[in-house]
Amino acid sequence: MPPGPLTTTLTNAAVAGLYNSVPHPPAVFLGPKYAWRQADGACNNVHNHNLGRAGTPYARSVQAKRCIDRSALPEPGLVFDVLLKARDRVNHAGGNSALTFAFASLVTHSLFRSAPSSGATGGASVYGPSYAPHGPNSGAPGPADSKVSASATSAAGATWDTNDTSSFLDLSPLYGHNEAALMGVRDLGSKSLGRGTPPLPPPAASALLVVFSRNHNYIARQLLAINEKGRWRDPGVGAVSEVGAGAGAGVANGSADAMGDYVAGFLGMAEGNAWNMNAFDPITLPDRTVIARGQGNHVSVEFNLLYRWHTTTSAPDEAWTENVFKEAFKGKPFDQLTVPDMARTFAALMATVDPEPRKRTFGGLKRNPDGTFDDAALANILHNATEAPAGQYRARGTPAVLRVVEMMGIEQGRGWGVCTMNEFRNFLGLKEFATFEEWNPDPEIAQAARRLYGHIDNLELYTGLQCESTMPLSSGMRFSCGYTMTKAVLGDAIALVRGDRFYTTSYTPATMTAWGVQDCKRDPNNGGEGGNLPKLLTRTLSRFYPYNSTYTTFPFFTPATMQASLTRQGLAANYTFTRPVATPVPVVLNTFTGIKTVFNDPARFKAPYDMKGLGGGYGFILVFDDKQKHDADKALALHALFPTKDSLAEYRTWYREQTAQRIKTRSWKYDGVPGTYVDIVNDVINNVSVHWAADRLCGIPLKTKENPRGLYTEQEIYEMFTTLFTLTFLAIDDNEHGFSLRTTAIQAGGVIQALVAKAILEVAPHSAPNFLIKAVNNVNSVIWPPSQKPYYPFLSKLSDTGRPLNELVATVVGLAIGSSVNYSQAAVHVVDFYLDDKRAKEKAQIVQLVQKQDPASDELLQGYYTGLWRNAAVEAVVEQGSGLPPAQIKAGDRIWASFRNAHLNPTDFPNPTAVDPTRPRAAYSLNGTGFHGCPGVAYAEQTIAEILKVVFGLKNVRRAPGKAGQLVGYTTVINETETNVYVHPNGTTSPWPASMHLVYDA
C-alpha cells in the first residue's frame, strides 16, 4: 500500500493496538521483595515504594477553600453537648450487632495509627480514628510508644500528620506495622503467630483478633502439611515464603470478611440480598475504559475522621467503657475530663501494658498454661457481641462517656485544616447542602447547628458527618447512616481493596499457593450469603458455632433481626436462633474392648448419623437402633443382594471383568516414553464402583461414550455419592462446611432418589402409591423390557417384599452409597499400600498369587486386604482394657470409636504394623462391629481381591514418576486419630483421593 493518510491511519491503529496489549509500565515485578506483602506496606505500588507505607504522612483528599478563622468555630465541648451527646438509646435500624463495629474497629486500626510528625514535641500514637488506643501489632503501644507528654500544650500542639501503620487492610493489629513488630509476635519455632492480643476496647474486637490469629496458625499448618512446592522441610527453612504465603492468605481472609460480611451486611445481606461487589478482577467499561487496579492506596485525613462511629456503641460496650473510664480517671465526671487528663491517664495506662504480646490479656480473660485463651470465654464474648444491638448513626447519639474523645476528634480535624462538610460533598460529586434543614431536617438539630456555625457552608466535616440525617432502609441498603458517609465509606472500601496489589494483580497461586487461593474463595451456599466470617468462627471455635445458627451465619446481625428477616424470606426453618450451647468434647475409645462394649449396646449408645433424608424421613439400617426394625431391613437388603449362593461369585467376576475392561480402554501412552499409563483412581476403581451402584443397584442411566443419552456422567454421580457419604459419616463435627454440604447433599439426594424411584416403578409398577399406578403403567419402558436391565434382579427382589416405595428407595440409596465410594476408597488404599517401596516383599507375593487360580491362593490374597460415632443416651462407665482407665461417659456425650487406633493397639491386635495375610478374619473390625457392623464385609474382601488380581497382574506395574504416581495429601489428627486428607489438582482438599497414575508394560 503506498504511503498516504490511509496507510498512516492503519499503521497508527495497529501500533496502538499492539503497544497497548502489554501494560506500560508493568504492573508486577518478581522476587521476594514484591511477591509478598511487607509488614510496613512498602512496595505495594511497585513504582512508588512509599505509597501507603507506614511512617509516611497522611494524604489530603480535598482542598479546603472556605475561609473560617479557627477562633470563630464553636468550642468542641459545646459542640458535643449540643449536637453529639446522646439523650436516649436508639438501636441500629438495620439490626446490626455490636460485633459489626468490633470488626470495624479492627479495620480502622489497620488503616489509621496517628503519630506526631518528625520534630513535633510530645505526643504519641495513642489516639486514632476511634477511642481505642493504638500500638504495634496489637492496638497497645510497646515501650517505644509510651512517651506521652503530660503537658497539655505539647499534647494539643503536636501535628499528628504521620500514619504509623500502612494504608492497606493488612490486619496490622495482628501482624504488626513493621518488620520488628511482626517478628515480635511470630513464633519462630512453629512459624505461626504468637497469641498476642491487645487491650483493644471493646473486648469483642480483641476476641476477633484472636480468631484471626488462630486462623493464621491454621493456614500455616495447612501450608506446611500440603507443602505444595516442597519448599518447607523443617522449622527455619523457607521462612520468608511461608510467612508471606501464610500472612497473605490470612490477610486475604480479612479482606474477604470486610467485603463479604462487613460491606455486604450494609448492602442488605441480612435481607437475602446476595449481591457481592467483586472489586478485585479486571474491569473494562463499554467504552473500553480500563479501570485501574493494584496501584496502591494512601489514606487521607478526611477519611480518618470519617470512621469515628461512636454513636454505634452498644449498651454493654457503653457500660464497659464507663467502667474503664471511672477506674482510669478515678471517678472524675465524664463532662469534666480534659485533653490533658486523657494524655496523662493513657500514658500511665499504656505503661502497664506488657511489652510481650504473648502475655497480654483483655476483657478479664486469663491465658491457659500453653498461652491460649479459653475457647468458651472467647465464644462468650463474641456471642454477647452478636446479641447486643449496635447503636444508631444519628445526631445526639454518642455516649456521654466519650465526650473528651469526641472533643479530641474535633480538635484533630481543625489541626489538620480539613475541608468543610459541603466541600467534602462536592469532592464526592454530591450536591452541596443549601440549608441546615437540608442537612438534617430535625428542627432542633438544624437550629442548634445554625447557632453554632452560622451558615451551612461553615459546618465542619467532623460534626457534619456525625449528625447528618440518615438514609431510609431498603432491602439493598441497611447502613442507616447519612448519604455522605454512605458514599464515602463504600467508595473508600472499593479504593482500599481494588488498589491493593496483593488483592488484585499479585493475587496468584504462585504466591498464595493453590490451596490458599481456594481457601479465600466465597462459598455462596454457606447459609450466610457467602460471608467469610462464618468460616473463621466455625474453624477456630467449632464447638461453639453450629453450622445453622444465626450466631454463625449472620454474626453481624442480632438473632432477633435475623429471625424476623429469615421468616419473611421463608427460610427460618433452616436456622436456629437461640444462643449456642457448646458441643461436648468427644470421648475417644482406642481399644476393641471399649468399642465393642459401646457398639453392642444400642439401647444406651445411639447411632448419631442423620439419614432421615432417605425415603422421605424413613432412614437406613445403619441408624436404626431398634433391633426389630434394624434386623428386618438388614435381612431385606441381604436377601435382595445375595439371593443365591452364587451371587457373591457373580459379583467377583463382574468386578474382575469391569476392572480389566477399564484398564484396557482408558490407558494411554506418551510418545517416546516407555510404559503404558492409567489413572487407577478416577478411570478405573472409582469408575467401576460408580457403575456398580448406578447399573446394578439404582438404575441410573449414566452418560458415557456408549450411552450418550444418559442423564449424568460417571464423575457427576461419583460426586453425588461422595457428598451424601461425607455428610452422613464424615462431617458430624464439620460446622465449617456443614451448611453448604447439606445444601449440596439435599440436591444430590433428591436427584438420586427420584431416579431410583423411577427405576423401581419401572421394574415393579405395583410399588407405586395407588394414585400413581395408572400413570406408571402408561409410561412403562418401551426401549427394552425391564428384565433385561442389569438392575432388574436386585430391584425386583427388593420390591417383591411389598414394602412402600419410600422404604425401598431409602434401602437402595443407602446400600449404593455404602458399597460404592467408600468401597472404592478402600480399594484405592489397598493398591496404594502395596505399591509403597516399603512393601516390595508383599507386592512380590501378591504378584505371584494373582497368577494362581486355586481357592487357597484366593483366600491368602483376601488376607492382604484385611472411625465411627455414637451418642450416649445415659451415663455409663466403659472399660477399655489394655491397662487404660475406664471411660467416664455422661448422658449426651459423643463417643468416637477409633478403629484405626484399636488396630494399632498391640494388646488387641498383636504385631499391628506387620502384614500377615494368614491373620484370622475375626481379628479385624475394618467395617464397624457389633449391632451396626457392616453386612457386606465378605463382599468387600472378595471383590477387592479381584481388583488386586487385575491391577497387580499387569506386567511390571509401578507408580508413575513424581507426584502423579502418588495419592497426594497429608495426614491430620481428628479425635486422636490419624486421618487422611487428599489434595486435588486445583488445590482443594477432600477425604476422597483425587488420582494416581500407574505405569505397566503392555
Side-chain angles (χ1 to χ4, degrees), residues 552-577:
T552 304
T553 52
F554 296 98
F556 284 169
F557 297 89
T558 64
T561 297
M562 290 315 307
Q563 185 165 16
S565 175
L566 293 168
T567 299
R568 285 194 300 272
Q569 298 175 55
L571 300 173
N574 300 331
Y575 296 85
T576 62
F577 305 94

Side-chain angles (χ1 to χ4, degrees), residues 47 55 96 132 177 240 287 331 433 587 607 637 667 740 826 956:
H47 304 290
N96 279 105
H177 64 292
V240 172
D287 64 359
F433 291 124
V587 176
S667 294
S740 58
N956 191 25

